[in-house]
Amino acid sequence: MIEIKNLTKFYYSSESVALALDDISLTFAVGDFVAITGESGSGKSTLLKVMNGTETYEEGEMCFDGVKTSAFGDEDWDRLRREEIAVVYQDYQILDNYSVLENVESVLLICEERLGKLTPKERRAKAMSYLEIVGLTKQAKQKASHISSGQKQRLAIARALAKNSQIIIADEPTGNLDVENGRMVMQLLAEIAKTRLVIVVTHNYEQAEDFVTRLIRLYRGQVSDDIRLRESAQLPATGAEAENHETPEKRMRKRDAAGVFLKMNLRRQPIRNGFFFLLCLCLSLAFLVFLGIIAQNLDDAQAMEYNEKAYFNGDDTRILIRNVDGSELTADDFAAISQVKYVER
Ligand code: ADP
Ligand code: MG
């Protein structure tokens, strides 16, 4: 499934060149639970990054299902990361503001084009089935930020499962966990590896040795040991693959997914959304008042009748006169004004 041949990877910086992977040749197949160990700086993370397409390589070749990645463009790598490989990180990378259940539901939504359309009820049921595998059904309604570290990592694994990829890679998934939780996570990954390929990087090999089917040790970028510890599961593909091929008419439109995300976001951030709503309300009111003022001033003549400024006279030699009631001046009025000394019309 993954074939790596004579792969070499350098990191270049302005001052130095580091040889991170040195002529690595490895093959991986479904059904294996592989542990990659080695001291710090031996190239473990780099190997995972190269496999995931987040780092390039200089020499050698890597093939997925027989297809050479040297010919891959950005789109091919995007598709591989989106569909074929799920990654579990040491720091979980879950959605803190969402509930445990919503964390898994969101993956099903994101991948719906590939996995097929589900009604909200079906999506919930499927997400719950993944939570059941990782033992988190009781926490389904809890906010993800409120569960324990071990539970967070199990949630990250449930999200990886929901992606339904054949390959799951994990970089130090037990790095932040105590011994008991670390062991639980390893056991869970071993179970999952029966129908997928699971590759886990760990510097704490004792935690994994009871479960892994194969041990690879790296030393200064080279493979120093590659030991088979148990038979790989080599199970036939499960229904998971069939799920990948839902009919197009069953696919939910992206617009629908955006709507569901909007609802989840609104529900999950009530305070922030409340402030946003108030801000919108204030802006709307201010706008209405502004419109009112403009409307009031549309009739200039009326406005001017009461507007002192309109009658402001900047010239000392002139005086402006009007009737108190606003009526027109008559010929008698003009005659009377003309009688006043020094005044002319
Ligand atoms: P490990 O995960 O086994 O601790 P890494 O794969 O992170 O090892 O690192 C392998 C080697 O590559 C180390 O010598 C490290 O210093 C170097 N390296 C890793 N990442 C980078 C990077 N981004 N830039 C330069 N050198 C790096
Ligand atoms: Mg590392």
Side-chain angles (χ1 to χ4, degrees), residues 32-92:
D32 249 335
F33 180 24
V34 186
I36 299 178
T37 66
E39 55 193 49
S40 183
S42 56
K44 306 182 295 293
S45 295
T46 304
L47 181 58
L48 288 195
K49 284 178 193 162
V50 166
M51 281 200 267
N52 190 26
T54 46
E55 283 291 352
T56 54
Y57 54 92
E58 277 68 40
E59 287 168 31
E61 184 58 277
M62 181 166 62
C63 301
F64 281 91
D65 292 330
V67 183
K68 292 179 177 173
T69 56
S70 52
F72 270 21
D74 287 348
E75 269 182 28
D76 300 308
W77 280 117
D78 280 348
R79 194 196 61 77
L80 192 91
R81 280 191 291 265
R82 207 172 47 239
E83 299 180 4
E84 308 285 344
I85 300 183
V87 186
V88 176
Y89 297 93
Q90 182 173 347
D91 58 355
Y92 327 120

Side-chain angles (χ1 to χ4, degrees), residues 90-101:
Q90 182 173 347
D91 58 355
Y92 327 120
Q93 304 219 355
I94 54 177
L95 306 167
D96 281 338
N97 282 321
Y98 283 14
S99 74
V100 167
L101 182 65

Side-chain angles (χ1 to χ4, degrees), residues 1-218:
M1 151 167 258
I2 305 179
E3 245 179 298
I4 296 172
K5 280 187 220 151
N6 308 112
L7 193 141
T8 295
K9 154 90 192 150
F10 296 96
Y11 284 110
Y12 299 96
S13 68
S14 49
E15 293 104 41
S16 65
V17 177
L19 176 60
L21 297 176
D22 183 5
D23 198 21
I24 297 252
S25 293
L26 291 164
T27 57
F28 300 100
V30 169
D32 249 335
F33 180 24
V34 186
I36 299 178
T37 66
E39 55 193 49
S40 183
S42 56
K44 306 182 295 293
S45 295
T46 304
L47 181 58
L48 288 195
K49 284 178 193 162
V50 166
M51 281 200 267
N52 190 26
T54 46
E55 283 291 352
T56 54
Y57 54 92
E58 277 68 40
E59 287 168 31
E61 184 58 277
M62 181 166 62
C63 301
F64 281 91
D65 292 330
V67 183
K68 292 179 177 173
T69 56
S70 52
F72 270 21
D74 287 348
E75 269 182 28
D76 300 308
W77 280 117
D78 280 348
R79 194 196 61 77
L80 192 91
R81 280 191 291 265
R82 207 172 47 239
E83 299 180 4
E84 308 285 344
I85 300 183
V87 186
V88 176
Y89 297 93
Q90 182 173 347
D91 58 355
Y92 327 120
Q93 304 219 355
I94 54 177
L95 306 167
D96 281 338
N97 282 321
Y98 283 14
S99 74
V100 167
L101 182 65
E102 285 166 346
N103 259 274
V104 183
E105 285 183 310
S106 62
V107 177
L108 295 173
L109 267 173
I110 289 166
C111 300
E112 71 183 358
E113 241 175 78
R114 182 168 51 92
L115 301 176
K117 175 190 167 166
L118 296 172
T119 64
K121 212 173 161 186
E122 287 169 336
R123 191 165 49 241
R124 182 158 293 231
K126 193 158 194 180
M128 281 304 283
S129 73
Y130 289 121
L131 289 181
E132 202 173 331
I133 294 173
V134 302
L136 283 180
T137 44
K138 277 188 197 150
Q139 289 76 17
K141 291 254 164 69
Q142 282 185 35
K143 207 174 166 185
S145 55
H146 292 168
I147 57 176
S148 72
S149 305
Q151 289 169 339
K152 280 180 185 172
Q153 195 54 293
R154 281 188 277 144
L155 176 57
I157 292 171
R159 278 167 58 83
L161 282 174
K163 204 172 157 187
N164 207 11
S165 311
Q166 282 288 49
I167 305 166
I168 295 179
I169 58 180
D171 196 352
E172 306 270 9
T174 59
N176 289 339
L177 306 182
D178 58 36
V179 177
E180 198 182 325
N181 274 303
R183 206 179 148 78
M184 211 187 280
V185 162
M186 284 297 176
Q187 197 166 10
L188 183 59
L189 289 172
E191 198 54 39
I192 292 164
K194 287 181 181 165
T195 54
R196 299 166 203 238
L197 165 63
V198 178
I199 304 174
V200 57
V201 156
T202 175
H203 62 258
N204 193 358
Y205 172 61
E206 299 76 49
Q207 236 170 22
E209 67 179 336
D210 285 348
F211 309 107
V212 293
T213 57
R214 180 179 172 194
L215 166 69
I216 293 168
R217 201 171 273 126
L218 295 187

